[in-house]
Amino acid sequence: MADHQHEHHFEMPQKSKYEEALSKYNLDISDEEVKAAVKKIIAEKVPENDTMEVKKFLFGSIELTSLKTTDSDESIMAFTERVNQFDEQYADLPHVATICVYPCFAKTVAETLEVDGVEIACVSGSFPSSQALIEVKVAETMLAVKDGATEIDIVMPVGKFLSGDYESLCDDISELKQACGDAAMKVILETGCLVTAANIKKASILSMYAGADYIKTSTGKEKISATPEAAYVMCQAMKEYYDETGIQIGFKPAGGINSVMDAMIYYTIVKEVLGEKWLTNKWFRLGTSRLANLLLSEIEGTEVKFF
């Protein structure tokens, strides 16, 4: 009997399927290495992408976003009308990729939008905190899709991640993925709350593993929004995930994209880490409201306040 207990003592604890998934990736990354790599990319590679062609491409990757407490049916209708008018006035330029709004305005956008190929994204699942019962998140997501959302942006439950509850975290994401039906799902990591490069990489892998079609940096509602360092780590995770599974995941930096240079830095990181395959307005998106006028002004060579 004693022998039997003795044997038992040496059994290795079973790895959870989440630890199993994570073990296939390089999580041994330091913030210093990441900073150095990003600095090098910015110094050496960004200047060559400072071209008119890239600026036009970036414009076509914008997710034109309105997530204000003051939004109303009238303001969102006017917002969507601008996208319709843009298509007529600037026929030689690409249209924005997406209009991104709260779920209660999905129907307004769907009924107002006349431009083919512009996606309708809704932030869902109790954005921006993600702190709600899963039943509420699922209902909100399904209603957004029913009302015309073609893409859904949810926030990863950051508290569950930080407390190591990967199972509940992945279950939440998977359940919301099911609720999306055919709509693509973007998982916002809220990288400013994750603090370290290793955490950002882990959160990226878990989100992709649980069903994300895109991973996105931030909500724009926290003190720290998107950073080039977070983008670099996420792109590395996407590259490794692609090499491991053959599944291509889209990337969306969002929050704090305040200049054309910011956008060019993200473009360059995607190009250097992930390569040309990701440089389409399907796989690379920029969540911003400010950038559209700034890019338009640079493209037109004069200050334009269209949006």
Side-chain angles (χ1 to χ4, degrees):
M1 185 68 195
D3 279 359
H4 186 71
Q5 274 178 332
H6 197 68
E7 270 175 328
H8 205 73
H9 188 66
F10 284 101
E11 267 185 27
M12 288 296 282
Q14 278 284 287
K15 262 190 183 172
S16 78
K17 60 181 180 177
Y18 308 103
E19 287 163 335
E20 197 64 58
L22 289 169
S23 69
K24 296 176 180 161
Y25 298 89
N26 171 28
L27 298 170
D28 186 22
I29 52 171
S30 78
D31 297 351
E32 285 66 42
E33 281 170 64
V34 171
K35 268 199 180 68
V38 168
K39 205 173 160 178
K40 189 167 152 64
I41 288 175
I42 291 173
E44 294 174 12
K45 303 291 186 180
V46 169
E48 72 197 40
N49 295 320
D50 189 353
T51 66
M52 192 52 79
E53 192 189 356
V54 168
K55 285 170 192 170
K56 286 179 180 174
F57 166 78
L58 288 169
F59 189 88
S61 288
I62 287 177
E63 298 210 351
L64 204 61
T65 303
S66 189
L67 298 171
K68 298 198 280 288
T69 304
T70 52
D71 288 343
S72 64
D73 280 329
E74 291 72 31
S75 74
I76 295 299
M77 200 181 284
F79 184 67
T80 309
E81 273 298 353
R82 295 309 276 161
V83 174
N84 295 340
Q85 288 159 2
F86 180 85
D87 208 47
E88 287 164 30
Q89 278 184 40
Y90 293 91
D92 54 330
L93 289 178
H95 55 66
V96 295
T98 318
I99 293 175
C100 181
V101 294
Y102 282 112
C104 48
F105 300 116
K107 205 173 165 89
T108 304
V109 176
E111 286 170 356
T112 311
L113 185 63
E114 289 159 11
V115 186
D116 284 342
V118 176
E119 302 289 347
I120 302 169
C122 284
V123 295
S124 182
S126 203
F127 176 94
S129 69
S130 194
Q131 301 288 22
L133 297 166
I134 188 66
E135 294 84 350
V136 174
K137 296 186 192 184
V138 165
E140 185 179 27
T141 302
M142 289 174 86
L143 288 167
V145 173
K146 181 176 83 65
D147 279 350
T150 58
E151 298 183 349
I152 293 290
D153 293 25
I154 64 156
V155 182
M156 175 188 87
V158 178
K160 287 179 179 171
F161 175 83
L162 293 173
S163 57
D165 187 359
Y166 300 153
E167 190 164 356
S168 299
L169 173 109
C170 290
D171 286 350
D172 257 33
I173 295 171
S174 301
E175 213 166 318
L176 287 169
K177 171 68 182 154
Q178 272 183 306
C180 286
D182 294 334
M185 182 178 74
K186 307 189 199 94
V187 177
I188 304 167
L189 307 183
E190 201 63 286
T191 51
C193 295
L194 301 180
V195 188
T196 67
N199 271 350
I200 293 170
K201 187 141 189 204
K202 213 181 269 189
S204 300
I205 292 158
L206 290 169
S207 297
M208 293 186 285
Y209 182 73
D213 297 298
Y214 289 77
I215 50 177
K216 174 176 164 183
T217 56
S218 331
T219 60
K221 306 288 187 191
E222 288 285 335
K223 279 196 271 304
I224 301 173
S225 283
T227 65
E229 288 75 18
Y232 178 81
V233 175
M234 288 166 72
C235 288
Q236 275 202 313
M238 288 157 63
K239 175 91 175 74
E240 288 177 33
Y241 186 79
Y242 180 70
D243 292 343
E244 178 70 37
T245 65
I247 299 166
Q248 186 172 7
I249 303 289
F251 177 56
K252 179 179 173 184
I257 301 175
N258 297 327
S259 69
V260 173
M261 182 48 81
D262 289 345
M264 272 186 312
I265 288 170
Y266 290 118
Y267 173 91
T268 306
I269 289 168
V270 169
K271 186 177 168 185
E272 295 302 316
V273 179
L274 290 166
E276 299 286 337
K277 196 176 161 118
W278 266 263
L279 293 177
T280 73
N281 76 346
K282 176 179 175 179
W283 299 107
F284 176 58
R285 300 283 181 72
L286 291 156
T288 176
S289 42
R290 221 167 276 137
L291 188 64
N293 286 331
L294 297 173
L295 271 170
L296 199 50
S297 300
E298 289 221 7
I299 292 165
E300 293 295 302
T302 175
E303 194 181 356
V304 183
K305 284 204 164 89
F306 188 88
F307 291 103

